[in-house]
Amino acid sequence: MTSPERGRSARRPWPLAAVAVAIALVCAFAAWRPWTPAVDVAPVDIAAGEKVTAVLAPAALSLPDEPRVLIFGDSWTFGSAASAPDLGYAYALGRSLGWESVVNGVRGSGYLKPGLDGGTFGERIAALDPALDPDLVILQGSINDRAQGAEGYRAAVTAAWDAVAALYPDTPIVILGPAPQALPVQAATQRIDRDLGELAAARGWWYISPLAEDWITEANYAAVIDSSPIGRNHPSTAGHEYLASRLAEHLLALSVTADAAAEVPAGG
């Protein structure tokens, strides 16, 4: 375990996987960046009845070789429906990348909805340890807000994100949007995905959308989601491994493609 007091002076791009994986990902993602915020947000008044919008460009991820990563979310982050919680995607991600994963998942929790074993996202963020000093924060979900409606949702997300940014001011934050527990994707899940994507773009934070990128489709649903009375539409053990691999690919791309783009000369 790395001490929370360690410095950040050694921060640099990290080796996430084998060279073969890196090469494959660079080729696959070099010209295609679905994770980049694409929706103009942050309205600014310019004249009566008119608005102009702007997007802040996310910075490339740059982490130490063995980063401490806080993965915060709902039952999917908890590891529900895996044969053991520590086989969930959040733990699998840390094992596959050689990271120190600090997993904070609460079943049933959302930005508006209190969880079974804890409060809302905002209440849980308020209880986080300031001394944790993570190198990266990943905020996942949540489909648990589907029944809560749109009223107050963006305000709750904004307050929670303000709190985590204030708690760890030097830490990059990646938002992992909701993944569908059922198909076709429910309208409320699509609304949550849009809201989170737009709010992340306004802050210049990376947003990864499992919906937009078709992580779960009719073709692989049965292999990823355990729809039995025990699994209750959560990822199976194999499904958690799959989600971890998809997330790892995207986190690598957020470093590789952004760094490559930064090296392109102006006008070239």
Side-chain angles (χ1 to χ4, degrees):
M1 300 286 285
T2 308
S3 169
E5 288 76 22
R6 74 204 190 294
R8 295 178 179 274
S9 60
R11 181 175 294 218
R12 61 188 183 276
W14 71 104
L16 291 181
V19 174
V21 175
I23 293 173
L25 286 170
V26 172
C27 293
F29 290 109
W32 179 59
R33 302 182 187 181
W35 52 85
T36 302
V39 180
D40 285 347
V41 289
V44 179
D45 290 325
I46 57 174
E50 297 183 21
K51 291 182 181 294
V52 64
T53 57
V55 167
L56 301 174
L61 292 183
S62 181
L63 304 178
D65 291 344
E66 298 179 358
R68 175 183 296 128
V69 180
L70 171 61
I71 308 174
F72 181 101
D74 56 26
S75 57
W76 291 47
T77 295
F78 175 84
S80 290
S83 55
D86 64 0
L87 295 178
Y89 87 87
Y91 299 91
L93 179 73
R95 287 191 294 268
S96 68
L97 301 180
W99 288 359
E100 178 190 345
S101 290
V102 179
V103 179
N104 189 318
V106 170
R107 297 170 296 173
S109 182
Y111 287 99
L112 291 174
K113 185 177 180 297
L116 300 177
D117 309 306
T120 63
F121 277 21
E123 292 167 337
R124 291 166 52 209
I125 287 169
L128 290 173
D129 182 5
L132 178 63
D133 191 29
D135 296 295
L136 174 66
V137 174
I138 300 172
L139 298 179
Q140 171 268 328
S142 170
I143 57 175
N144 292 322
D145 290 313
R146 299 189 316 281
Q148 310 305 306
E151 184 177 356
Y153 180 75
R154 287 191 173 222
V157 172
T158 297
W161 290 4
D162 284 347
V164 74
L167 189 63
Y168 306 123
D170 299 321
T171 301
I173 297 172
V174 172
I175 306 301
L176 175 60
Q181 87 289 1
L183 295 176
V185 180
Q186 296 172 343
T189 303
Q190 294 173 339
R191 188 264 305 166
I192 289 170
D193 182 59
R194 287 192 302 270
D195 284 348
L196 294 178
E198 292 175 4
L199 291 171
R203 291 174 181 256
W205 288 1
W206 291 109
Y207 183 69
I208 300 173
S209 172
L211 267 62
E213 298 166 32
D214 291 329
W215 284 18
I216 300 174
T217 66
E218 293 286 356
N220 68 359
Y221 179 84
V224 175
I225 300 298
D226 181 353
S227 57
S228 72
I230 295 176
R232 294 180 295 111
N233 293 345
H234 287 84
S236 61
T237 299
H240 276 288
E241 286 285 348
Y242 165 74
L243 295 175
S245 69
R246 293 299 302 264
L247 181 54
E249 290 173 358
H250 281 72
L251 292 170
L252 174 60
L254 298 189
S255 176
V256 173
T257 60
D259 287 346
E263 295 173 1
V264 176

